[in-house]
């Protein structure tokens, strides 16, 4: 069964800093990987989806990379803002074609004004 | 922008009661999902639904759970006889291809 680990569990940075969130997964046979943000008590907002054949995917200040063979993905956030404060979750989808996502416990990011 | 919607936002029920959680997926989406998140834990997959039938389900999705698409817009999760450990946030999601879009969730509290 796929196990997903996200490090660090919590991160606090001053506004304007660039930062990297890490995600590792035990089964490298994935179809794609999705990054989400979750605000307290709220649903999940999709940020980026990176296909297994891709190395990087960018959206605005966010850049996700994928190293499938080593079971790692990173989410880079440039010029962080207080509005980026949330929990960030990564979720790989199995390479078998099944639609279920496996989630990590997330990284709780606080951006200090 | 189209969104997945869920009702109610919060449901309180007594142990042993049946509950139905409702979702309206994004209108042109073909795949529908339920996930749950127990407080402080990971989001866990329950079930996926495509072409009017279950396509995958997890070991959590036992005989107490069922899903239905009763009409062209709603997607429901029924828990037949709730247990204390069913207390969680339940998320509905939908997709047309790879990206899954999540609703705001229903917080279920079983007393």
């Amino acid at each position: 069964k796929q196990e997903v680990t996200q490090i660090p569990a919590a991160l606090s940075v001053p506004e304007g800093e660039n930062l990297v969130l890490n995600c590792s997964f035990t089964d490298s046979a994935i179809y794609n990987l999705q990054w989400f943000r979750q605000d307290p008590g709220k649903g999940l907002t999709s940020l980026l989806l990176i296909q297994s054949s891709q190395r990087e995917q960018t959206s605005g200040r966010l850049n996700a990379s994928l190293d499938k063979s080593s079971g790692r993905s990173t989410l880079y956030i440039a010029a962080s803002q207080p509005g980026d404060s949330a929990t960030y979750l990564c979720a790989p989808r199995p390479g078998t074609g099944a639609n279920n996502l496996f989630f990590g416990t997330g990284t709780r990011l606080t951006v200090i004004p | 922008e189209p969104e997945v919607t869920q009702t109610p936002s919060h449901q309180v029920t007594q142990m042993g009661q049946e509950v139905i959680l409702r979702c309206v997926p994004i209108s042109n989406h073909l795949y529908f999902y339920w996930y749950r998140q127990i407080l402080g834990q990971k989001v866990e997959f329950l079930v996926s639904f495509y072409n009017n039938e279950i396509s995958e389900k997890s070991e959590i999705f036992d005989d107490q759970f069922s899903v239905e698409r009763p009409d062209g817009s709603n997607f429901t999760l029924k828990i037949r006889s709730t247990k204390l450990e069913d207390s969680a946030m339940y998320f509905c999601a939908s997709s047309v291809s790879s990206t899954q879009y999540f609703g705001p969730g229903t917080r279920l509290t079983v007393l």
Side-chain angles (χ1 to χ4, degrees), chain A residues 34 38 99-101 103, chain B residues 35 37 42 45 56 99-100:
Chain A
Q34 214 168 332
Q38 184 176 29
N99 281 321
N100 51 302
L101 299 177
F103 283 84
Chain B
Y35 292 82
Q37 186 177 33
K42 294 182 182 185
F45 169 76
E56 283 102 26
T99 301
Q100 294 187 21

Side-chain angles (χ1 to χ4, degrees), chain A residues 16-86:
Chain A
E17 267 203 13
N18 303 325
L19 58 104
V20 175
L21 308 180
N22 297 292
C23 170
S24 61
F25 42 95
T26 53
D27 185 351
S28 62
I30 65 168
Y31 186 79
N32 59 40
L33 184 144
Q34 214 168 332
W35 279 94
F36 295 88
R37 70 174 277 167
Q38 184 176 29
D39 293 283
K42 300 286 176 65
L44 282 66
T45 301
S46 179
L47 298 172
L48 286 163
L49 181 140
I50 184 163
Q51 300 288 357
S52 62
S53 57
Q54 294 178 307
R55 299 283 293 184
E56 281 191 12
Q57 188 68 254
T58 298
S59 175
R61 294 184 293 110
L62 306 180
N63 176 278
S65 69
L66 176 64
D67 184 347
K68 189 180 144 183
S69 61
S70 66
R72 293 175 195 272
S73 178
T74 62
L75 180 68
Y76 174 84
I77 303 177
S80 57
Q81 302 170 358
D84 295 330
S85 298

